[in-house]
Amino acid sequence: MPLSVVILAAGQGKRMKSDLPKVLQPLAGRPLLGHVLDAARGLAAPATYVVYGHGGEQVPRAFEGSGIHWVLQAEQHGTGHAVMQAMPSIPDDHLVLVLYGDVPLVQLDTLARLVASAGPDTVAVLSVMLPDPTGYGRIVRDGAGNVVRIVEHKDANAKERAIHESNTGLLCASAGRLKGWLASLRNDNAQGEYYLTDVVVAAVRSGCRVNAVVAPTQTEVLGVNDKLQLAELEAAYRRQRATALMLEGVTIVDPARFDARGPVTVGRDVLIDVNVVLEGEVKLGHRVRVGPNVVIRDSEIGDDTVVFPNCVIERAVIGPGCNVGPFARFRPSSTLDAGVHIGNFVEVKNSRIGRGSKANHLTYLGDTIVGEKVNVGAGTITCNYDGANKWRTEIGDGAFIGSGAMLVAPVKIGPGATIGAGSTITKDAPEGKLSLERSRQQTIEHWKRPEKKC
Ligand code: UD1
Ligand code: CA
C-alpha cells in the first residue's frame, strides 16, 4: 500500500519556556522537526503532511521548498484531532504513518518495521518498555496477549499504571479505516481531548488486529518537552554519531567531546582530538588528523592533511598533505592544492592556493589565486575591497611576497616575482623581478633620545 506520513507538530511546548516553537528548537544544529523529516524521507513516502499550529507560519517558513504539505490545526484539541486535519487529503488506499515532530531520534529501521507490520486490517503501534512509564499511555493486552486498547496515564487505574509497556505515540494504519475510527472519537476523558490512542479500541471493535512493535531502544522514541530533555537527546545523538564513526575505524580521543552534526565520510586511520565539531557535509581523507578545538563545516580534507588546533574551516576544499593552523580560518570557497601550508592567524576566503605554497603567519588572502610554490610572508594582506567592490589578486608560480606587503587588488604578481617587505603594491609586478615600494631609510646622526624632565 502507498504510504502517507503525518507528522504532528502543532503542540505548544510550554515547558521549553522559549519564544521559538518547540519543533524548531535545535538538536545537533538542526530543528527537531528536521530530524523527523529526515527519518521519514528514508521511507520514500509519496507525501508527507506536517500538522502545525503553535508558532504559526514560523514553522512552515523554516522548511520552505521542502515539498511538505502543511496542514493547519488552529486550535489543539488532541492528537486524534491533529491527525484528523490531514486526513481529507489522504486517499483511502494509503497507509498512514503518524510521527511526532518532537521525537527526533527515531530510526529509519524502526519506522520500516512499524510500516511493515501494518496493513489494510492491521494497525501497528510502536511501544517501548519503560522502567518508569509515568505520564505515558499504557498498552493494555488481553489474557491472550492481544493489544486491546491504550490508556492514557491520567485516565489509567492502578493496575493499568503498573504496566511498563508504553505508547510512543507513533502508529501506522489504513487511511480509509483511520478516517472512520477518527470520526468516532469522543473527548470525554481526563484531558477533554480527542485522543489518537482511542483508535485502538475502535480498531479492535471493528475486527482489526493491533500489533505492538517494540522499539529497540528507549532513546530513539524519547520526546523533548524541556531544555533538560533537549540536552539529554543532544548527548544521545552525540554518542550515536561518535559510536558509528569509531566503528568505521576513526580514533576519537574523547567521544563525549566530539560532535558530528551532519553526514561525515571518512577514510582509514583518521584521528580526531577533543572538542571537534563537524557540521554539514564533511569528508575526511585517509590519515587526516584533526587537532583540538576545530570546527569544520561543509568541507573536504585530503589524505594525510594535518589540521592543527583551533581552526575554523567552512566550505573549503583542502587538498592532500597540507598543514593548516593552528588558528587558521577558511571562509567559503577556499581551495588548497596538495602540500599547502597555512599557518597561524591566516584567513583565506574565496581563493585558490597552488601546490606547495605557504602562508605561514598573520595573513589575509581574499579573492586570490596563488600559483605553485609561492611563499607569502608574514603579515601580507590582499586588499580586495575598495569599499564598494571586491577585486582579485593573482600571484604567479614561485613568487616570493616579502613580509608586511599590501597587495592592492586588482593586481597581478608575475611568476617568480619578488615583492620587497613592507611594500604597498598597486601596479602589476613583472615576472622574475624585484618590485618594491618603500621610502628610503635614513639615519639621523647625533640624534638623542629625549630625557625625562623632573
Ligand atoms: C501522547 C500519547 C501517549 C504517549 C505519548 C508519548 C495520546 C492521546 N497520547 O501523549 O499515549 O505515551 O504521546 O510521548 O496521543 N499535538 C498536536 N496537536 C494536538 C496535540 C498534540 O499536533 O492537538 C502534537 C504535539 O505537538 C506532539 C505530539 O502531538 O508532537 C504529542 O502530543 P502530546 O501532547 O505531547 O501528547 P502526550 O500527552 O504526551
Ligand atoms: Ca509529550
Side-chain angles (χ1 to χ4, degrees):
M1 290 167 84
L3 183 68
S4 285
V5 176
V6 176
I7 303 176
L8 305 190
Q12 180 174 10
K14 229 187 249 158
R15 283 174 283 166
M16 297 305 270
K17 301 196 174 144
S18 166
D19 294 333
L20 191 66
K22 176 155 79 167
V23 291
L24 295 187
Q25 298 285 335
L27 175 77
R30 280 182 301 140
L32 291 172
L33 180 57
H35 290 266
V36 182
L37 287 166
D38 282 354
R41 215 164 276 135
L43 294 166
T48 298
Y49 301 83
V50 176
V51 181
Y52 73 104
H54 213 88
E57 298 305 316
Q58 268 187 81
V59 178
R61 231 181 288 128
F63 294 91
E64 238 154 7
S66 53
I68 295 164
H69 303 280
W70 296 96
V71 181
L72 180 65
Q73 184 194 23
E75 285 176 33
Q76 286 84 53
H77 296 301
T79 48
H81 179 256
V83 175
M84 252 184 258
Q85 311 308 308
M87 293 314 291
S89 329
I90 303 177
D92 285 0
D93 64 342
H94 276 219
L95 276 178
V96 176
L97 172 66
V98 177
L99 305 178
Y100 284 3
D102 57 357
V103 178
L105 297 188
V106 67
Q107 299 292 302
L108 176 60
D109 285 0
T110 306
L111 296 182
R113 273 208 296 137
L114 188 64
V115 172
S117 38
D121 302 310
T122 312
V123 177
V125 299
L126 187 67
S127 69
V128 62
M129 291 299 179
L130 295 179
D132 174 15
T134 307
Y136 282 79
R138 308 296 208 284
I139 309 286
V140 183
R141 294 172 184 266
D142 65 13
N146 300 308
V147 177
V148 289
R149 64 191 191 103
I150 297 177
V151 60
E152 289 306 291
H153 183 89
K154 286 186 181 146
D155 301 294
N157 60 35
K159 201 175 147 212
E160 289 160 341
R161 286 188 180 185
I163 299 172
H164 286 269
E165 189 177 3
S166 307
N167 178 33
T168 66
L170 281 52
L171 65 77
C172 188
S174 133
R177 294 278 200 167
L178 198 53
K179 285 176 192 174
W181 299 329
L182 286 169
S184 74
L185 292 186
R186 296 157 52 110
N187 64 350
D188 52 352
N189 50 50
Q191 301 182 82
E193 290 184 351
Y194 296 95
Y195 290 166
L196 177 62
T197 43
D198 285 347
V199 303
V200 169
V201 169
V204 171
R205 222 175 268 143
S206 58
C208 283
R209 209 192 131 66
V210 179
N211 287 332
V213 173
V214 184
T217 63
Q218 252 186 66
T219 315
E220 69 169 278
V221 293
L222 285 177
V224 178
N225 293 308
D226 56 31
K227 293 286 171 76
L228 181 67
Q229 289 171 340
L230 186 61
E232 283 163 3
L233 282 202
E234 182 84 35
Y237 182 85
R238 177 184 307 127
R239 209 164 37 240
Q240 266 177 17
R241 297 301 312 277
T243 303
L245 284 166
M246 289 186 290
L247 293 176
E248 275 191 64
V250 179
T251 301
I252 296 177
V253 171
D254 181 1
R257 286 182 288 168
F258 166 68
D259 288 81
R261 296 176 177 166
V264 178
T265 317
V266 288
R268 291 177 77 82
D269 296 306
V270 167
L271 183 140
I272 295 178
D273 214 320
V274 299
N275 294 332
V276 170
V277 178
L278 307 182
E279 289 185 332
E281 267 183 60
V282 173
K283 210 171 153 192
L284 305 175
H286 299 304
R287 300 168 298 279
V288 165
R289 300 169 70 89
V290 181
N293 307 320
V294 170
V295 178
I296 305 177
R297 185 175 302 131
D298 290 309
S299 296
E300 210 178 305
I301 315 265
D303 297 348
D304 300 297
T305 285
V306 182
V307 179
F308 289 99
N310 301 297
C311 290
V312 178
I313 301 174
E314 184 176 1
R315 277 174 47 207
V317 177
I318 296 183
C322 293
N323 282 358
V324 302
F327 298 100
R329 179 175 182 205
F330 296 87
R331 290 169 52 205
S333 304
S334 301
T335 303
L336 271 54
D337 292 339
V340 168
H341 289 195
I342 296 293
N344 41 225
F345 307 107
V346 175
E347 174 177 337
V348 181
K349 186 215 76 172
N350 187 32
S351 292
R352 177 168 199 120
I353 319 264
R355 180 180 291 268
S357 289
K358 294 178 182 170
N360 273 328
H361 334 263
L362 304 157
T363 285
Y364 174 56
L365 297 170
D367 306 305
T368 299
I369 297 180
V370 178
E372 297 186 0
K373 296 219 155 88
V374 169
N375 196 309
V376 178
T380 296
I381 292 177
T382 54
C383 310
N384 60 330
Y385 185 50
D386 60 12
N389 296 296
K390 299 276 170 67
W391 300 97
R392 302 196 66 85
T393 300
E394 283 177 37
I395 304 177
D397 294 347
F400 180 96
I401 315 296
S403 295
M406 300 292 126
L407 306 178
V408 182
V411 73
K412 287 184 187 169
I413 311 298
T418 300
I419 302 299
S423 300
T424 298
I425 299 296
T426 53
K427 295 194 285 261
D428 290 355
E431 174 167 359
K433 295 196 171 136
L434 168 66
S435 295
L436 78 171
E437 183 278 341
R438 201 189 272 167
S439 42
R440 270 184 203 288
Q441 181 170 333
Q442 315 176 37
T443 301
I444 314 292
E445 301 294 337
H446 313 302
W447 180 83
K448 276 207 174 75
R449 280 193 196 173
E451 278 169 17
K452 191 168 172 74
K453 298 203 170 73
C454 36

